Amino acid sequence: MTLKFPVTKEISKIINIDNVDYALPLDIDREGNFGKGFFIVTKDSILVFYNNDLFRELKLEEYKDFTTEMCVGGGSFFAVNVNSEQKEKICRFTMEHGARYALVARKLQLRYNGKSEFLSGDEPDKKCTKCGRVLPEGSGVCPFCTDKKAIIFRIIRMFKKYIPIVTFQLFLLLLMSALGIVLPLIYSEIVDNVYKSNVTSMDNDLLFYFLGMLGAYTLTKFAHTGVEIARGRVTASMSNSMMHELRMIMFDKIQRLSVGFSNKRTIGDLMNRITVDTVQIQQFLQNHTISLITQVFSLIMAAVLMFKMNWKLSIIVILPAPLIVAAQRLWWSKIRRIYGQLRQLSSKSDSILQDVFSGIKVVKAFGAEKTEVNKFSKVCNKYREKTLKNEYFWATFQPVIGMINQLTYYAVALIGGIAVLDGNMSLGMLTAFTSYASMIYSPIQYLADVPKSFAATLNSATRVFDVLDQKSDVPESENPKDLDIKGHVEYKEVTFGYKSYDPVTEEINIDIKPGEMIGLVGHSGSGKTTLTNLLMRFYDVDGGALYIDGVNIKEIDSEKLHNQIGVVLQETYLFDGTIRENILYSKPDATEEEIIEACKTANAHDFITNFPDGYDTRIGERGHRLSGGEKQRIAIARAIICNPRILILDEATASLDTENELVIQTALQRLIEGRTTVAIAHRLSTLKNADRLVVLDHGRVAEIGTHNELIDKKGIYYGLVMAQLNMNRLLGDEDTTDSQFIDEIKKK
């Protein structure tokens, strides 16, 4: 996210640009009207400009508690004067810049507290900072401001290893063009020297000449066809290899990016970039790259031969070219914009389909089929309208170009025919000339069609490079440590927010000993799952540090880390395949004995062997052929088979009935033995065996202690326990008194 917009020349005369830390547009003036200005932060001051005039200057040492407040349509920036303790409104802004001001406020507060100001600008820009246009959804690249030449050269650099093949392909194309140029010359000789001969019968010399020329024409035609076949196969092989490589690069890149990247984009959009966009690039490479060079070569050669034969006729043939080029340049920006909109709508429709098919039970349960059909219909209608506009344009543009070329061809036939009748041109020469004229028309028609494909390809390439240029929010260390984890986990002053200016957890300090089970307790949104996400390094902390066995988690090899962490989630995700394949997901090289042992530990072996196909039973997408308890036990087996040193349980029994919960609890007890465990749960039965409980409240550690210690303390945890008692009373256990309930749960 851009936090340093270029200031105007007038403002740069007042302040030292090199001294500016942050410069944000200020689009609401002091009277509350839309205006133009700047909010600038230097090392020691805040400067507010309206219309290039300095309106207010504040010394940072005189202010604290920097905050923003968001309202409908806009927000305000506040700071507290350290002398008067009064909260002052510094400026107002529209919501377009709300995230920027919130991030700067957070950074200034960190500066005031004497801490590092490093925070990732993770909120993407919604408008291009150069032209001000709205950016395509899910993209940080403006299609209007991208350097087209740079994209083309980047594609060339990416596939530079194919240069030898491209060179050979170019040779074949030039050879094919040369053979195509020779064919009219041979046919011209046959027309002038054989078909127009005045002899009444063909003598031997003329017959041999005719057969020789006919043989030369046939051989040249065969050679032309053979070269064309070879060129087509080489091109297809090369372009498909390029597409496969690009597709794998894209998929690998997305896999290596953080979870945050995928969460900010729809599944349909990512799928489109890997499949549709790479295919578009492949088709352009296959159909247009080298062909463009060949068409230009044929155009030049045909033009040279035509001017040599008859320069007057040649001028008539060449005349339409400038008109076609001018028309292409006139419509270029519109063409590219339409293809960009089509790609966005395609991604949106794919996302709708993904959501509906994934949640088909919910759709049917609420009778929302018509709603979803209408939603999909609206997107499809927009796609149809844009496609129609595009196709209407090309349906008009291409025939018009063809008509112009055809009229030119008629003019050549008329004027050339008169020249033949007057004896100024031979019939064979006219035949060859018309053949070369068609070689001129074909490239012109081809060049008229190229912008259509080029616009779509340029848009696809922009979307592909938008992904490839992404930097992971969780970068791998330059020298990652191959750590054999023992299980000592320490959260030290950990602060983190999914939007870095809006922290979810602040200054968390938890020291977990090897083999210890810690239960995380707190209201929804208190930061429980966030702490486990940080431990799995789905995200990196914004402040403080997270250590495993005394090593900063950022320095540990990510693959090695994840191979030593087991996870059991509330919403179990199983892949479409067999039970065996799902269990082996965390350890592909596990033996049959290890699979069975893991399943016995997870209380899963018995129900698996009752299936006709046993461990080879196919479970369907998301494991829909299994019950909730069965899926959860397979998830436990998957977690335990890799013998993890750290175990994370995130509401592992929340969605199960009492009978299944008891079975899962037994399996979990075996699972946590000897492992450092971090468990999240609302049910006390899940946490009764925890060594310590950590109670979180609004992102901070409120209480730490054992189950009984926290009950005796009668704090937040005690309140949660009493809330569960009240829930039990609602469910029919009205006779249980507070003291009886407390005594009962203390015994567990």
Side-chain angles (χ1 to χ4, degrees), residues 306-321:
M306 280 168 49
F307 273 94
K308 188 176 180 181
M309 292 177 181
N310 191 312
W311 66 271
K312 293 180 181 179
L313 282 178
S314 300
I315 291 176
I316 295 174
V317 174
I318 299 297
L319 274 177

Side-chain angles (χ1 to χ4, degrees), residues 97-227:
H97 303 295
R100 293 188 173 94
Y101 278 90
L103 184 57
V104 169
R106 177 71 176 160
K107 285 174 175 283
L108 289 178
Q109 189 58 39
L110 290 172
R111 182 189 297 187
Y112 177 81
N113 294 334
K115 298 182 178 180
S116 169
E117 293 179 45
F118 172 76
L119 287 173
S120 60
D122 48 15
E123 190 76 11
D125 288 316
K126 295 182 179 180
K127 287 187 177 181
C128 176
T129 55
K130 291 183 179 180
C131 67
R133 291 185 175 93
V134 177
L135 295 174
E137 187 176 354
S139 175
V141 178
C142 177
F144 297 94
C145 298
T146 51
D147 188 340
K148 288 82 174 175
K149 293 180 181 177
I151 293 176
I152 295 170
F153 285 119
R154 187 170 179 184
I155 294 175
I156 294 172
R157 288 195 302 272
M158 177 177 284
F159 298 114
K160 61 182 179 181
K161 69 178 183 180
Y162 291 97
I163 289 178
I165 300 176
V166 172
T167 304
F168 177 63
Q169 185 185 14
L170 180 60
F171 166 75
L172 292 177
L173 283 165
L174 294 178
L175 178 59
M176 190 172 70
S177 298
L179 292 171
I181 293 290
V182 170
L183 285 171
L185 291 176
I186 298 174
Y187 189 72
S188 173
E189 289 296 316
I190 294 175
V191 170
D192 283 340
N193 298 325
V194 178
Y195 295 162
K196 288 192 66 181
S197 61
N198 294 323
V199 295
T200 56
S201 61
M202 187 176 293
D203 57 21
N204 290 336
D205 291 339
L206 185 59
L207 177 61
F208 285 133
Y209 176 81
F210 175 63
L211 293 176
M213 295 301 292
L214 191 61
Y217 186 90
T218 304
L219 289 175
T220 304
K221 188 64 178 177
F222 270 113
H224 183 275
T225 303
V227 172

Side-chain angles (χ1 to χ4, degrees), residues 542-562:
D542 293 328
L546 176 55
Y547 297 94
I548 297 180
D549 296 342
V551 179
N552 193 314
I553 195 171
K554 295 180 181 179
E555 299 176 7
I556 303 174
D557 181 87
S558 295
E559 184 176 354
K560 188 73 173 179
L561 172 69
H562 293 138

